[in-house]
Amino acid sequence: LCATSITYPYILIKSRMQLKQSKNENERYKSLVDGLRKVVAEEGIAGLYKGIESKLLQSVLTASFLFMSKEALFSYAIKLLLIVGARKSLATSK
């Protein structure tokens, strides 16, 4: 969440630069720094974080699914190792 909060202004400016911008040359973002300055001047600091709620939700859900998948994979791996180990011990005891 911290990384998302830090990098979000960059992502916002980058995506705005990729969109078709105004025909007025003065309104266009010429660089990242220019975009940051214009957003802060026109929308304030809060403008840099406009729409961050959905990005944070995406980050939380992604992390949740990642941890859930890791735990499930770990559990299945342990079960598989126990089965393989049990078969080996049965084969050596015969």
Side-chain angles (χ1 to χ4, degrees), residues 47-65:
L48 294 174
Y49 294 95
K50 191 182 289 185
I52 195 169
E53 298 89 1
S54 58
K55 185 65 177 168
L56 287 174
L57 179 63
Q58 176 196 13
S59 296
V60 168
L61 289 175
T62 300
S64 300
F65 285 124

